[in-house]
Amino acid sequence: MGLCEVITGKKKFHGGIAIPHCKNTAQCETIKMGVPEKVTIPMLQHVGEPCKVLVKKGDEVKVGQLIGASGKYVSAPIHSSVSGTVTDISKMVCMNGAYVDAVEIKTDGRQEIHESVKPPSYHNDAELLELIKGSGLVGLGGAAFPTHVKLSPPKEKVIDTLIVNGAECEPYITSDYREMVENSWNIISGIYILKDLLKAKQVLIGVEDNKPEAIKIMTNIANTSGKIDIIKLKTRYPQGAEKMLIYALTGRKVPSRRLPMDVGVIVMNVNSVSFVAEYVKTGMPLIKKRVTVDGPVVNNPSNVEVLIGTHLSDVFEFCGGFKEEPYKVIMGGPMMGVSQHSLENPVLKFTNAILAFDRKTAESVKKESPCIRCAKCVQVCPMNLLPLFLNASSIRRNTAGLKKYNVMDCIECGCCSYICPAKRHLVQSIRLGKVLLRKEES
Amino acid sequence: MSVEMLIPIAIIGGLGLFFGVGLSFASKKFEVQVDERIKLIRETLPGANCAACGYTGCDAFAEAVAEGKAKADGCPVGGAGVAREIRKIMGTGTEEGGSPGEKDRKKEEEGQTARVLCGGTYDTCKAKYKYEGIEDCDAATALYGGPSACNYGCVGLGTCVRACPFGGIVVENGLARVLESKCKGCGLCVKACPKNIIKLVPRYSKHTVLCSSHDRGLVVRQLCDVGCIACLRCVRICTVGAISMDDQLAVVNPQLCMNCGECVKVCPTSTIKQL
């Protein structure tokens, strides 16, 4: 493969849907939001064990100070994003229903940096992994899986390919795109660090073809550095899902209930890769996040760099407030995001977008009617599942059926719910099915 | 009588006799030995086929007991009384586990009932959001802990109602309520509830704290009108020490409670109820 040309991905995954891109904020350069008056930092912002609070009410904290940690391996430490005083340790309910501690900090606006934040040094892979673990990094694409766990595959699994995910297939979200345009050098240096760590032979960056500028910039840089291939992918939802991306770029299929590392691949989001480079340079843990603020009722849709823990209301205010009272606010993209019950909810590590919709746009979710067995959900399912049967099994709490139709393979991309003419709550029922199966197994 | 009539009579009669003898012989020769005890045990069981014992129904449970696979006290609906009968049938002795006194035996035989330890209806407890998804408590709980503002409160979508084989639970105004006359104490609703707020209590227990919230009193007050705010008044008034505090929540110990009703009078949020 020559280095100068843009390579087009040839494999096309089964199913998927073509949806409006709505990338309204693509040309909005990232603006830095100031320090809010108050932040709330919950102790569960990752997949795995919640952290224990290390500070108490009345403590002074500084930027980058460790305020939450757990002894468990599958977990990520949490740092203060501001300097100020801890006003309360309250309880907060997380997206998945977990009830965890949250540290409320009143900021002093000085943003003094904690003494533990200094450019780190490392001499071998183990030390680098320890550094990444300490940085609090989780998958910034939205999955929030602790990165140090992903980067330490068992010895018998040989990783030959590092895939950098710049597909960003969800509508509205442009935070990965802005990273590729604004911080492309960081991404490349992050790639070199991770490539050495994983001993990967090839690095592939997958970008959807609705982001020509990102492809151009990344290709130019990759040309000068070499050994990195930028691959242009057809824009199709869910192209950015791990398993779809692996298939599109390498032709490898991840078997049922297995991980990408089982086929020799590790997939990382562009933002995560870029953060690794940034952290190795400065030692500043994960305390801020680029968030796309968009939606029909937002006055100034933009990409904002937000401190983690900032309340959604402050972020919206920074973007000029609302044209009208929003009917629905979603954290994440419209396909996989979760609607919010309060604007006092904080921005989390994995938040990549917050979207506010008016009644007309959001009420397209109609009342569900009986399944007409048109099998459209089967046609669009990228994982080759049968969503209609999963739905029926979940509602009847039939765990044998859920097992038979491989409920755990579902990636919850939302294609089936999107296409269903009967407007059935397919993804929600599948999530319920997973809950039921886990309950039965435990 | 003509011969034409006699021949068919003889043929049919002969066949009848032949099959009759054949069948009676076969029934003796290939007889299936049925354990007498299974039938007896089956008769002592409540016969609700609720499957709370973990077997498919009462027949399967009786068989398992007779084969020694299940324990005599495996039927939660029948309780201690049925267990004693089964032990008699199985010949393992009536006095297993010590001889209960007359008063205790009476209490024991009353059995257990499920109770929903929450008082938060749509009127008394604030809402977190409007829920528009699948009618299932587990599904709603997976979304920010459910539509009720209180994280410990009843979701009110009726997963327990569907789990109950006796029609013993109703949901009224967003709150599940056990109809204790219909409840057999099988505990299927206890397992089904994603919030773990349904508990089995002895039937003789009349005073219950209808709240499961471990939140701080200040938080509870903001969210719910009838939640336990951990003010300790009931703990102080109780003369027999039956009420204790478990992480910001009052709990009545039915073994000690004298049913005097003083706690109901002092509770400022009417969380303790006499049922």
Side-chain angles (χ1 to χ4, degrees), chain A residues 144-181:
Chain A
F145 191 73
T147 305
H148 65 273
V149 182
K150 193 192 253 189
L151 290 178
S152 2
K155 280 210 178 68
E156 67 274 12
K157 303 237 161 79
V158 181
I159 305 297
D160 60 5
T161 308
L162 170 68
I163 290 180
V164 178
N165 188 351
E168 198 163 60
C169 53
E170 277 247 18
Y172 290 98
I173 310 178
T174 55
S175 68
D176 290 358
Y177 171 75
R178 289 317 303 178
E179 188 71 25
M180 287 188 276
V181 173

Side-chain angles (χ1 to χ4, degrees), chain A residues 27-49:
Chain A
Q27 299 314 317
C28 300
E29 210 164 301
T30 313
I31 29 178
K32 229 174 161 164
M33 186 182 154
V35 185
E37 231 170 71
K38 192 176 123 178
V39 293
T40 309
I41 305 175
M43 289 294 115
L44 182 64
Q45 301 187 35
H46 48 261
V47 176
E49 190 73 11

Side-chain angles (χ1 to χ4, degrees), chain B residues 35 39 46 59 61 70 91 110 162 215 225 240-241 247 270:
Chain B
D35 194 337
K39 213 178 138 212
D59 284 329
F61 176 69
E110 273 182 19
R162 289 182 286 277
D215 273 329
D225 297 341
V240 290
D247 188 15
S270 319

Side-chain angles (χ1 to χ4, degrees), chain B residues 52 76-77 110-118 160-161 163-170 176-193 196-210 212 275:
Chain B
V77 176
E110 273 182 19
Q112 287 184 307
T113 177
R115 216 165 263 176
V116 182
L117 302 185
C118 176
C160 51
V161 175
C164 181
F166 308 103
I169 307 181
V170 287
R177 189 165 62 87
V178 177
L179 307 170
E180 295 190 6
S181 55
K182 287 190 181 174
C183 179
K184 306 260 187 256
C186 67
L188 287 177
C189 53
V190 177
K191 277 183 212 146
C193 179
N196 296 321
I197 56 168
I198 309 184
K199 293 266 148 62
L200 285 179
V201 294
R203 249 174 222 281
Y204 60 80
S205 141
K206 294 288 175 221
H207 290 80
T208 317
V209 181
L210 291 184
S212 302
L275 296 160

Side-chain angles (χ1 to χ4, degrees), chain B residues 85-271:
Chain B
E85 290 299 311
I86 292 176
R87 285 200 191 99
K88 249 184 229 165
I89 296 163
M90 294 294 289
T92 46
T94 51
E95 304 310 316
E96 199 173 296
S99 165
E102 189 51 40
K103 196 182 158 202
D104 286 345
R105 179 175 289 185
K106 208 176 151 221
K107 275 188 179 176
E108 220 174 56
E109 268 162 18
E110 273 182 19
Q112 287 184 307
T113 177
R115 216 165 263 176
V116 182
L117 302 185
C118 176
T121 59
Y122 288 140
D123 306 324
T124 53
C125 187
K126 289 205 179 77
K128 194 183 286 162
Y129 56 82
K130 193 176 146 223
Y131 179 72
E132 288 176 335
I134 302 167
E135 286 277 310
D136 190 297
C137 300
D138 274 296
T141 307
L143 275 176
Y144 278 107
S148 159
C150 173
N151 197 52
Y152 299 93
C154 178
V155 182
L157 292 168
T159 293
C160 51
V161 175
R162 289 182 286 277
C164 181
F166 308 103
I169 307 181
V170 287
V171 173
E172 287 163 347
N173 204 9
L175 175 67
R177 189 165 62 87
V178 177
L179 307 170
E180 295 190 6
S181 55
K182 287 190 181 174
C183 179
K184 306 260 187 256
C186 67
L188 287 177
C189 53
V190 177
K191 277 183 212 146
C193 179
K195 292 285 185 188
N196 296 321
I197 56 168
I198 309 184
K199 293 266 148 62
L200 285 179
V201 294
R203 249 174 222 281
Y204 60 80
S205 141
K206 294 288 175 221
H207 290 80
T208 317
V209 181
L210 291 184
C211 181
S212 302
S213 172
H214 293 291
D215 273 329
R216 280 179 286 177
L218 190 70
V219 178
V220 175
R221 240 195 213 294
Q222 282 165 3
L223 304 176
C224 179
D225 297 341
V226 293
C228 174
I229 54 170
C231 64
L232 294 170
R233 280 195 209 176
C234 51
V235 177
R236 285 195 207 106
I237 199 92
C238 186
T239 49
V240 290
I243 306 179
S244 58
M245 276 315 215
D246 168 31
D247 188 15
Q248 322 267 357
L249 176 67
V251 183
V252 179
N253 182 350
Q255 260 93 45
L256 298 176
C257 178
M258 307 288 287
N259 290 324
C260 66
E262 285 301 316
C263 49
V264 179
K265 285 180 209 153
V266 295
C267 181
T269 48
S270 319
T271 312

